[in-house]
Amino acid sequence: MLYQYEFLLAFVACAATQQIARDPGVTGPPLEVVHQYNDEFVTGIAVSSRERMFSNYPRSLDSNNLNYTVAELVGNDTQVPYPSAEYNSPPGGAINYTTNPP
């Protein structure tokens, strides 16, 4: 029993002298706004190795987006269909799965 108390005292003394690591709340550079969306329903964002930014949109579920499903983000608030508007236009137009489920 005496051994248990000695071990406990040694453990408490050791723990009291150790510095506890604290998280300062900063990990990496500060966040910055790189693009702002207005009414688009964005489902993904990607950054290429050349730092080009792309977004994808559920065209059939977003009534505000009639132009593209994949776009390159240009500037702070502009999206350009990628690779082209023609490529982003399926034959027969977009299918609205909210009114025509598969």
Side-chain angles (χ1 to χ4, degrees):
M1 179 117 170
L2 183 60
Y3 175 73
Q4 290 175 347
Y5 288 120
E6 289 174 354
F7 177 74
L8 181 60
L9 288 173
F11 177 76
V12 170
C14 182
T17 60
Q18 284 190 342
Q19 294 290 327
I20 297 174
R22 297 189 187 270
D23 182 7
V26 178
T27 56
L31 295 177
E32 63 180 292
V33 175
V34 294
H35 193 78
Q36 296 176 344
Y37 295 94
N38 295 316
D39 293 331
E40 295 88 355
F41 184 73
V42 180
T43 57
I45 298 174
V47 179
S48 75
S49 60
R50 295 183 180 154
E51 298 186 13
R52 293 171 64 190
M53 296 181 293
F54 300 90
S55 289
N56 62 307
Y57 313 84
R59 188 173 188 178
S60 60
L61 298 177
D62 186 359
S63 60
N64 294 318
N65 177 16
L66 303 175
N67 301 317
Y68 40 76
T69 52
V70 178
E72 183 170 6
L73 307 179
V74 180
N76 196 28
D77 60 355
T78 305
Q79 296 88 240
V80 177
Y82 180 82
S84 67
E86 181 183 3
Y87 193 82
N88 276 271
S89 300
I95 300 170
N96 186 339
Y97 287 113
T98 59
T99 57
N100 299 312

